[in-house]
């Protein structure tokens, strides 16, 4: 499919976009929810500009896209700090209290985007980013290590700690799969 994308095959491009876009948006929403769509557009512009020079297989391509996304988020945050004009949305300030519903009922009602937001809210930045890149990006430990410029062992340890933190916070009924 990547070769067809490089040659400009419209159907291959649509297939690629359909495969990657939902995961990319969930990742970006978990990092910068108000600007996720704009950041996704920037990622796709960068992909369009560089796909002809890209070398690698499908796994490398997914890692490349999420590395671009991560850089766009970092660029956005640097720019936002300098501008300091962003208004905080009211829904970001809501207090999250434990309800009477069981974890199972909550997990049955939660969407993929809500799950990504929950992970981002419950974990430290690095732990959330590692888990989201591993799950949403479907990237292996080495790819995440390359994207985050860390060692594979650091990624494994950070992932383990993040999963343990989620298990503690969500209660004993959550099953952590390895």
């Amino acid at each position: 499919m990547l070769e067809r994308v490089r040659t400009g095959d419209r159907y291959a491009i649509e297939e690629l976009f359909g495969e990657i876009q939902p995961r990319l948006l969930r990742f970006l929403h978990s990092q910068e929810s108000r600007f996720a769509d704009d950041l996704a557009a920037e990622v796709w512009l960068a992909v369009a500009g560089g796909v002809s020079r890209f070398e690698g297989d499908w796994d490398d391509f997914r890692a490349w896209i999420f590395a671009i996304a991560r850089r766009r988020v970092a660029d956005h945050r640097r720019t936002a700090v300098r501008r300091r004009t962003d208004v905080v949305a009211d829904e970001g300030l809501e207090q999250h209290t434990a309800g009477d519903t069981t974890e199972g009922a909550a997990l049955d009602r939660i969407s993929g985007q809500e799950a990504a937001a929950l992970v981002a809210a419950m974990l430290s930045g690095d732990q959330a980013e590692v888990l989201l890149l591993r799950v949403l990006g479907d990237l292996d430990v080495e790819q995440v290590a390359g994207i985050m410029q860390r060692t594979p062992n650091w990624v494994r340890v950070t992932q383990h700690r993040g999963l343990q933190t989620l298990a503690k916070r969500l209660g004993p009924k959550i099953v952590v799969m390895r």
Side-chain angles (χ1 to χ4, degrees), residues 52-124:
S52 62
R53 296 182 306 275
F54 175 79
E55 293 181 16
D57 62 9
W58 176 246
D59 291 337
D60 296 331
F61 188 77
R62 280 193 338 266
W64 180 59
I65 288 177
F66 279 92
I68 292 170
R70 189 168 182 266
R71 285 192 301 272
R72 292 297 180 262
V73 168
D75 291 345
H76 169 77
R77 288 177 178 163
R78 275 192 297 276
T79 303
V81 166
R82 286 193 301 265
R83 278 187 278 144
R84 295 272 185 207
T85 59
D86 292 19
V87 178
V88 176
D90 291 339
E91 57 268 5
L93 301 175
E94 293 176 9
Q95 293 294 325
H96 298 284
T97 59
D100 295 330
T101 60
T102 65
E103 291 86 359
L107 291 174
D108 287 342
R109 292 192 313 256
I110 198 165
S111 72
Q113 183 56 52
E114 290 168 331
L118 180 68
V119 167
M122 294 184 87
L123 297 177
S124 71

Side-chain angles (χ1 to χ4, degrees), residues 99 121 135-136 162:
V135 174
L136 296 178

Side-chain angles (χ1 to χ4, degrees), residues 49 83 145 151 161:
R83 278 187 278 144
T151 65
R161 288 178 180 163

Side-chain angles (χ1 to χ4, degrees), residues 38-53:
D38 293 337
L39 291 169
E42 290 179 26
V43 169
W44 286 110
L45 284 173
V47 168
V51 73
S52 62
R53 296 182 306 275

Side-chain angles (χ1 to χ4, degrees), residues 4-59:
R4 292 179 21 228
V5 167
R6 284 188 194 112
T7 62
D9 180 337
R10 177 182 173 184
Y11 297 109
I13 293 169
E14 287 175 5
E15 186 178 337
L16 171 79
F17 184 82
E19 177 71 27
I20 299 290
Q21 180 69 356
R23 293 170 184 251
L24 178 64
L25 277 177
R26 284 186 182 135
F27 174 74
L28 292 171
H29 271 285
S30 72
Q31 300 297 304
E32 289 289 334
S33 63
R34 292 182 52 225
F35 301 99
D37 293 328
D38 293 337
L39 291 169
E42 290 179 26
V43 169
W44 286 110
L45 284 173
V47 168
V51 73
S52 62
R53 296 182 306 275
F54 175 79
E55 293 181 16
D57 62 9
W58 176 246
D59 291 337

